[in-house]
Amino acid sequence: MKTSHSKIVDCTIRDGGLVNNWDFSIEFVQKLYAGLNEAGVEYMEIGYKNSPKLLKGADSAGPWRFLNDDFLRKVIPQKGATKLSALVDIGRVDESDILPREESMLDLIRVATYIKDVDKALELVETFHNRGYETTLNIMALSNVMENELLEAFEMIRESVVDVVYIVDSYGSLDHNDIRYLVDKFKTHLPNKRLGIHTHNNMQLAFSNTLIAEELGVELLDASCYGMGRAAGNCPTELLVTHLKNAKYTLRPVLEILDQLMVPLRAKVEWGYIIPYMITGTLDEHPRSAMALRASEDKDNSVDFYDKLTTPEVNFGNN
């Protein structure tokens, strides 16, 4: 039985914030960090490092949407072994907001991009690399990417300074065969890069797809406590902690997180495997239409929802 050399990146606050508009209390985040640190989880993604002046609706979002280093120092005055990560989006981050790593609470900055903007993403990656950070490039919506686009991107990525390149199943539509195919392709074309994976649970495959990637040598595994993440959510951190053949993880602190933080929160806000998210997953579509359905009075009418999505003449607008 081989020991896993993978590392967990817990995205509860960052991806989970898409569910509750990043409305987590400071105490919630402190308890989460303490529990993950005690459990031996290597990274906690504590939010986005985007700029509020570059995004609409910034005033209504919680502070984890636009991380401030002074704020973070107050939240986590004493860091443990668990490193801190933040995600940025192309066109939504002001480079001047990113301090040199030695002055920052953050260790890892991840750049999320669609395939068409890989060149811009790599420019950001180089900036953050030069400021001393670990870096990743997260290529979103891979299930909708054409082969030629991916090959062109590989040419640029191979020569870049990025540390880790992510396979991202944004729509939760990939299965084990897709994961094997993509990992093999990324390894073949990016032999000098480490790999990561980010899965969604629309088809109840987030955990198994993550395990397959881990078995194939993918190093960074995204997850979130109780699977909290946009729409159908992510691979659950607790499942990786208990299943990966890595003796240093401890399950009990994560169970305390679930009891004290996640179960009460799940009673207030909705995420996870729900039929409309399964429908968008199986149709390989962004879950925004399913999220809108779940916010409506018609939220449990899956047949009508499916018919609308699969009938080209029908739209979701008012007649």
Side-chain angles (χ1 to χ4, degrees):
M1 185 179 293
K2 71 182 182 75
T3 299
S4 170
H5 296 289
S6 295
K7 297 176 175 65
I8 296 173
V9 181
D10 182 273
C11 304
T12 307
I13 300 302
R14 200 274 307 165
D15 206 325
L18 291 158
V19 176
N20 69 344
N21 202 26
W22 299 275
D23 185 21
F24 300 101
S25 69
I26 289 175
E27 182 185 17
F28 185 106
V29 175
Q30 288 173 330
K31 285 184 175 180
L32 180 65
Y33 181 79
L36 293 173
N37 186 64
E38 187 181 349
V41 171
E42 289 86 356
Y43 293 88
M44 171 175 164
E45 189 148 82
I46 197 163
Y48 281 93
K49 188 62 177 161
N50 289 332
S51 171
K53 57 182 175 285
L54 298 176
L55 270 171
K56 292 181 179 178
D59 294 342
S60 64
W64 322 102
R65 186 71 172 99
F66 309 101
L67 291 171
N68 175 281
D69 280 282
D70 291 334
F71 171 72
L72 278 183
R73 288 187 193 95
K74 296 174 184 174
V75 174
I76 303 178
Q78 187 64 48
K79 275 173 69 175
T82 299
K83 295 180 177 181
L84 293 178
S85 164
L87 190 81
V88 302
D89 295 305
I90 302 297
R92 294 180 174 181
V93 58
D94 184 338
E95 294 174 28
S96 65
D97 291 340
I98 311 291
L99 297 172
R101 182 177 178 181
E102 61 268 19
E103 299 173 24
S104 174
M105 291 292 289
L106 301 172
D107 303 284
L108 168 66
I109 297 184
R110 314 202 298 169
V111 180
T113 182
Y114 289 106
I115 195 76
K116 66 182 180 65
D117 289 326
V118 163
D119 55 339
K120 297 174 186 173
L122 290 174
E123 289 177 8
L124 277 178
V125 163
E126 185 163 11
T127 297
F128 302 143
H129 171 84
N130 291 341
R131 292 181 191 175
Y133 294 96
E134 299 172 43
T135 59
T136 80
L137 179 76
N138 295 32
I139 306 176
M140 298 184 289
L142 272 175
S143 58
N144 283 186
V145 173
M146 299 290 288
E147 178 92 359
N148 63 307
E149 294 177 304
L150 199 53
L151 294 176
E152 288 173 12
F154 286 149
E155 292 289 328
M156 293 183 278
I157 296 166
R158 195 162 49 241
E159 304 303 319
S160 75
V161 296
V162 71
D163 297 309
V164 180
V165 184
Y166 260 81
I167 295 166
V168 182
D169 181 18
S170 298
Y171 304 156
S173 59
L174 302 180
D175 66 14
H176 61 104
N177 289 319
D178 301 317
I179 298 300
R180 291 183 188 279
Y181 173 81
L182 285 168
V183 172
D184 180 68
K185 185 168 285 295
F186 274 62
K187 279 187 163 185
T188 298
H189 291 276
L190 301 173
N192 59 334
K193 300 299 182 187
R194 296 149 60 202
L195 300 181
I197 187 161
H198 181 94
T199 58
H200 280 267
N201 206 35
N202 300 63
M203 308 288 287
Q204 298 271 42
L205 295 174
F207 178 48
S208 62
N209 283 347
T210 301
L211 288 187
I212 288 164
E214 184 268 335
E215 288 173 5
L216 295 172
V218 172
E219 184 177 336
L220 291 191
L221 312 177
D222 280 17
S224 58
C225 291
Y226 211 14
M228 186 183 187
R230 186 204 65 205
N234 308 118
C235 173
T237 298
E238 59 272 17
L239 290 181
L240 292 183
V241 163
T242 194
H243 192 84
L244 293 178
K245 306 301 182 280
N246 192 331
K248 70 181 181 189
Y249 291 133
T250 306
L251 178 62
R252 195 175 188 281
V254 184
L255 293 178
E256 290 180 339
I257 290 171
L258 299 182
D259 282 356
Q260 297 174 18
L261 304 178
M262 305 311 299
V263 172
L265 182 58
R266 183 60 179 80
K268 299 176 183 177
V269 293
E270 180 180 276
W271 72 82
Y273 174 78
I274 298 168
I275 299 304
Y277 298 144
M278 180 276 287
I279 292 171
T280 59
T282 198
L283 294 175
D284 192 17
E285 292 192 5
H286 193 288
R288 61 174 63 90
S289 57
M291 294 165 72
L293 177 71
R294 294 301 298 173
S296 73
E297 293 181 358
D298 211 22
K299 66 179 185 177
D300 291 313
N301 193 339
S302 298
V303 173
D304 183 59
F305 177 67
Y306 178 77
D307 287 344
K308 285 181 177 178
L309 283 185
T310 54
T311 307
E313 299 81 20
V314 175
N315 62 55
F316 286 88
N318 295 322
N319 293 326

